[in-house]
Amino acid sequence: MDTVFYNGVIHTMAGRTVSALAVQNGRIALAGTDEAALALADAHTKKIDLGGRCVLPGFTDSHIHILQAGMVCHRLDLRGVTSLQEIIDRGQDYVKHADLAPGEWIIGYGFDHNSFDPPTLPDGATAEAISADLPVILDRVCGHIGAANRKAFELAGYDENTVIPGGELDKDEHGHLNGIIREAALDQIKRSSPRQTKEQVIARIQEIGTQLAAAGLTSVHSDDVGMEGTKWPILKEAFADMEAENSCPVRLWEEWEAPRPADLQWVLTQPLRSGQGSDWLKVGNIKLISDGSLGARTAYLREDYSDDPGNRGIAVYTQEAMDEMVALCHAAGLQVACHAIGDGACEEFVNAVEKAMIRDPKPLCHRVVHCQFGDEALYRRMAALGMGADIQPAFVPSDAPLLPSRVGAERAKTSYAWKTLLDLGVVLGGGSDTPVEDLSPLWGIHCAVNRPASHTDNTPFLPEQALTVEEAVALYTTGPARLAGAEQDLGTLEAGKWADLVVLDQDIFTVPKETIKDIPVALTMVGGRVSFAGEAFV
């Protein structure tokens, strides 16, 4: 054996608890007793005394943006700003100290205008105040609404006659563009910015990989190919280089963003289908974005926003276009993961999946990303179609304070209905949507179990929809494995599966549930290689 873990409380998530694991060639050779595991050791085996610590399958984040998260600290950071002036001040300071090359884009990320007094979206004038010479994009924390200056508009080919299906370019009272851009219009202008090189991709993955490992993450389902991220050949080359050096920090199921039929048609010409790839980089799914966000009032609802009569958000696709996109993917054997926050967007996607499944039944487990609003009838249809949902438990403390004003008390009662989804048979995976929320799975598990009403109020929000600790842990272990069709390799700690695991200093199943978020990660192993070691194991 290469490694033997013993004297632990190892929750296999396969219906039993053991005390020891034996690891060889990157996979689990035995999950059983101390005596059985230690009997397999020889002089070359590394023996790790767990000291009674808790072990779980390595965590998987079922919806994240690792390259964007890796880029945030190298870009204009707008997280925590409280006014338009603070955006300008940070931007001007960034230009002064960032040593920007001629023509380089300034991309700011992370503002939340709902925290401004009064809530005011930055516009083209705000971006222009940062720089008139370099292209500037200001991206809200949700990634669904932003602003840009004239230079960015020029490079993207935007003018007052531009029409972007599924997007909006706002105009002032005189009919002139004011620089605010929404949904597909924001996505398209992001694509005009330079893509990352292979060297940059490797650097960002290694950098964010350190944070992922320290949080106990061993796999991620990430949306990186598309928008301002990178191109598939570059990502593939980057992983090939890291695999050759045995330095991949995390396994990656890559979502391929294809927002328009022409983009999708090109993807379908490539010999890539869901689940194909290496042990470290696999094709995940085609990512569609069907609406926006609650905070930006662009999530597509069946009924008007309570605080904005006449506005139901933005439907990025017509039902006919959604039907076409899903049918193309389904016929080609590609799973679809569709961003749908509003109940209108969710229903549109479920309609499309239903039509595709009637024509050609296939067990692809198409996934609703976010799935924040709906009703039992819609969720029953999802379950009957074998669909899944990527939920973000950390959205509750961030979004719950907005719900009474955005959707009213009655609709708020139908939101974030995780227990209902689970009980009806919808396959659930837990994600962070990082950089939108904290990437820690323990924080996500805490939010799924305790459902805090805000970041300062621990009162449970709709406690009847809270998950048990075991159900919440499954969101980050067995759930994502099922969504990816990878149950044969990960999700549980059993012989033959990858040696992907996380060691916690305390047993997550016995500590007070309010303290789950505070449990220290002691060690993370991916493919039999230690990717993070805390003080106890250094």
Side-chain angles (χ1 to χ4, degrees), residues 277-410:
S278 71
D279 284 350
W280 294 95
L281 175 64
K282 292 185 183 293
V283 177
N285 48 60
I286 295 297
K287 172 73 176 296
L288 303 180
I289 299 177
S290 64
D291 69 347
S293 73
L294 184 69
R297 295 190 187 87
T298 54
Y300 178 47
L301 304 176
R302 290 164 166 169
E303 300 176 9
D304 293 358
Y305 280 86
S306 298
D307 58 357
D308 192 9
N311 176 26
R312 294 189 178 183
I314 293 177
V316 174
Y317 297 97
T318 63
Q319 184 67 65
E320 292 73 20
M322 175 65 77
D323 293 347
E324 178 186 4
M325 296 287 278
V326 171
L328 286 168
C329 294
H330 186 82
L334 278 162
Q335 183 190 64
V336 180
C338 183
H339 168 111
I341 287 179
D343 52 3
C346 186
E347 182 176 41
E348 187 178 78
F349 179 51
V350 172
N351 290 342
V353 171
E354 201 165 54
K355 293 169 188 174
M357 288 287 285
I358 289 171
R359 287 190 297 269
D360 181 17
K362 270 183 193 160
L364 285 172
C365 196
H366 299 301
R367 304 151 68 165
V368 179
V369 180
H370 306 310
C371 201
Q372 290 173 218
F373 293 92
D375 56 34
E376 187 170 321
L378 188 57
Y379 299 152
R380 284 188 183 279
R381 291 173 63 196
M382 289 173 59
L385 293 166
M387 294 178 68
D390 293 312
I391 65 169
Q392 288 67 47
F395 277 12
V396 161
S398 295
D399 285 357
L402 291 173
L403 291 174
S405 61
R406 288 287 191 274
V407 299
E410 288 305 307

Side-chain angles (χ1 to χ4, degrees), residues 85-154:
Q85 188 57 52
E86 190 173 356
I87 290 177
I88 294 169
D89 291 343
R90 282 202 197 182
Q92 291 177 344
D93 186 65
Y94 176 82
V95 172
K96 183 178 178 181
H97 295 101
D99 191 26
L100 298 168
E104 190 168 347
W105 286 61
I106 300 168
I107 300 177
Y109 168 80
F111 74 86
D112 181 359
H113 70 292
N114 291 310
S115 65
F116 298 0
D117 186 16
T120 307
L121 282 168
D123 58 12
T126 311
E128 201 79 20
I130 294 171
S131 177
D133 300 320
L134 297 174
V136 177
I137 298 174
L138 305 176
D139 196 2
R140 190 182 181 275
V141 64
C142 63
H144 291 270
I145 189 169
N149 67 353
R150 287 191 292 265
K151 189 68 175 178
F153 269 49
E154 175 188 326

Side-chain angles (χ1 to χ4, degrees), residues 78-266:
L78 299 178
R79 292 172 294 181
V81 296
T82 58
S83 66
L84 298 181
Q85 188 57 52
E86 190 173 356
I87 290 177
I88 294 169
D89 291 343
R90 282 202 197 182
Q92 291 177 344
D93 186 65
Y94 176 82
V95 172
K96 183 178 178 181
H97 295 101
D99 191 26
L100 298 168
E104 190 168 347
W105 286 61
I106 300 168
I107 300 177
Y109 168 80
F111 74 86
D112 181 359
H113 70 292
N114 291 310
S115 65
F116 298 0
D117 186 16
T120 307
L121 282 168
D123 58 12
T126 311
E128 201 79 20
I130 294 171
S131 177
D133 300 320
L134 297 174
V136 177
I137 298 174
L138 305 176
D139 196 2
R140 190 182 181 275
V141 64
C142 63
H144 291 270
I145 189 169
N149 67 353
R150 287 191 292 265
K151 189 68 175 178
F153 269 49
E154 175 188 326
L155 292 172
Y158 286 1
D159 60 30
E160 294 187 357
N161 298 313
T162 299
V163 176
I164 306 292
E168 292 181 2
L169 285 77
D170 286 15
K171 295 182 178 180
D172 60 23
E173 64 274 15
H174 303 295
H176 303 305
L177 296 174
N178 65 10
I180 296 174
I181 39 183
R182 304 171 191 263
E183 300 305 332
L186 177 59
D187 294 344
Q188 186 163 309
I189 205 168
K190 287 177 183 177
R191 288 188 182 88
S192 302
S193 64
R195 300 298 179 92
Q196 296 178 82
T197 65
K198 181 183 74 171
E199 291 72 24
Q200 288 174 320
V201 168
I202 291 173
R204 301 295 178 260
I205 288 176
Q206 292 291 354
E207 187 173 12
I208 193 66
T210 300
Q211 300 175 45
L212 297 171
L217 283 156
T218 56
S219 299
V220 295
H221 302 176
S222 188
D223 177 4
D224 305 298
V225 174
M227 290 197 292
E228 82 273 35
T230 190
K231 295 183 178 179
W232 174 258
I234 297 296
L235 187 65
K236 189 175 180 182
E237 289 176 20
F239 263 83
D241 285 1
M242 290 188 290
E243 287 183 54
E245 297 175 357
N246 194 28
S247 64
C248 296
V250 69
R251 302 187 196 278
L252 172 59
W253 273 260
E254 182 56 46
E255 294 184 346
W256 196 320
E257 199 165 297
R260 307 253 57 92
D263 300 317
L264 179 58
Q265 291 285 6
W266 183 87

